[in-house]
């Protein structure tokens, strides 16, 4: 039987599936289970990616042909940018806890920078491929994040930035020409 992955913050806890793997000693199950905070709904405190997911869903609904409200998508992207800027400056390598002697005691699967970027942007970018207003906002968002991030976090952004730029240049050349003519990548995108 394949070994199941432990549950990360914000994931559903399913009956008869492991929530953690214990190494280097015995830990009574009731002690481990007492450390879990569970509830009917996910919360922003328990799962920082939850807010990004909700904002991405709002942006995708705004872009959808059924709703066709790209201004709402742009507003959601404003908030996504703000949250990603907060995360960009955070130490996200917090999955391991060691005791006073340096022995690894706890490993918690937590999202990394690439996971947060994928959650916040990938579905929105795909949905925005026919929405020049949303694509232009995504372009500014990605340009701003690239400037704000340290080099190790830029590659995941550069991939998405290249897709957005290519789509604008190919599918909306008149808009791309206007953006390129006024583009000031050193300026802040929004005051």
């Amino acid at each position: 039987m394949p070994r199941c992955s432990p549950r990360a913050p914000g994931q559903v806890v399913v009956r008869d599936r492991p929530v953690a793997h214990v190494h280097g000693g015995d830990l009574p199950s009731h002690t481990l289970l007492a450390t879990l905070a569970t509830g009917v709904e996910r919360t922003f405190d328990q799962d920082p990616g939850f807010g990004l997911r909700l904002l991405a869903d709002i942006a995708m609904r705004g872009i959808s042909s059924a709703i066709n409200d790209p201004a709402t998508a742009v507003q959601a992207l404003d908030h996504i940018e703000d949250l990603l800027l907060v995360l960009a400056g955070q130490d996200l390598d917090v999955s391991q806890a060691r005791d006073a002697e340096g022995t690894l005691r706890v490993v918690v699967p937590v999202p990394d920078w690439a996971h947060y970027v994928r959650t916040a942007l990938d579905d929105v970018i795909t949905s925005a491929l026919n929405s020049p207003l949303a694509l232009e906002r995504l372009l500014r968002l990605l340009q701003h994040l690239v400037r704000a991030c340290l080099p190790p976090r830029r590659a995941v952004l550069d991939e998405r930035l290249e897709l957005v730029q290519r789509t604008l240049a190919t599918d909306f050349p008149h808009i791309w020409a206007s953006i390129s003519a006024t583009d000031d990548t050193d300026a802040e995108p929004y005051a």
Side-chain angles (χ1 to χ4, degrees), residues 154-175:
R154 290 181 186 155
V156 69
L157 299 169
D158 288 337
E159 294 169 9
R160 285 146 183 87
L161 179 57
E162 193 276 326
L163 172 61
V164 169
Q165 288 172 326
R166 185 178 63 240
T167 302
L168 279 166
T170 303
D171 297 348
F172 305 100
H174 58 289
I175 294 171

Side-chain angles (χ1 to χ4, degrees), residues 30 45 71 73 90 118 147 153-154 158 164 173 187:
H30 68 274
D45 290 338
Q90 299 297 312
R118 282 192 308 272
R147 288 192 308 271
R153 292 192 177 173
R154 290 181 186 155
D158 288 337
V164 169

Side-chain angles (χ1 to χ4, degrees), residues 121-140:
L121 298 177
D122 284 3
D123 292 336
V124 179
I125 291 170
T126 301
S127 298
L129 294 178
N130 293 314
S131 174
L133 181 65
L135 282 170
E136 184 176 354
R137 181 62 185 96
L138 282 160
L139 174 74
R140 301 293 183 213

Side-chain angles (χ1 to χ4, degrees), residues 9-100:
Q11 288 185 319
V12 175
V13 177
V14 179
R15 186 178 322 276
D16 296 327
R17 294 286 187 185
V19 294
H21 298 291
V22 178
H23 302 275
D26 292 326
L27 181 66
S29 60
H30 68 274
T31 302
L32 175 64
L33 293 174
T35 66
L36 299 178
T38 61
V40 177
E41 297 284 332
R42 292 163 67 183
T43 68
F44 300 118
D45 290 338
Q46 295 168 341
D47 181 10
F50 181 46
L52 289 170
R53 178 74 261 158
L54 289 177
L55 288 167
D57 289 348
I58 291 167
M60 289 186 310
R61 282 187 196 105
I63 298 166
S64 74
S65 58
I67 305 295
N68 193 22
D69 183 10
T72 294
V74 168
Q75 284 183 310
L77 288 167
D78 291 343
H79 295 287
I80 287 171
E81 179 179 6
D82 188 52
L83 290 175
L84 287 175
L85 284 167
V86 170
L87 288 169
Q90 299 297 312
D91 177 11
L92 301 176
D93 188 19
V94 295
S95 64
Q96 299 181 354
R98 299 180 180 277
D99 64 17

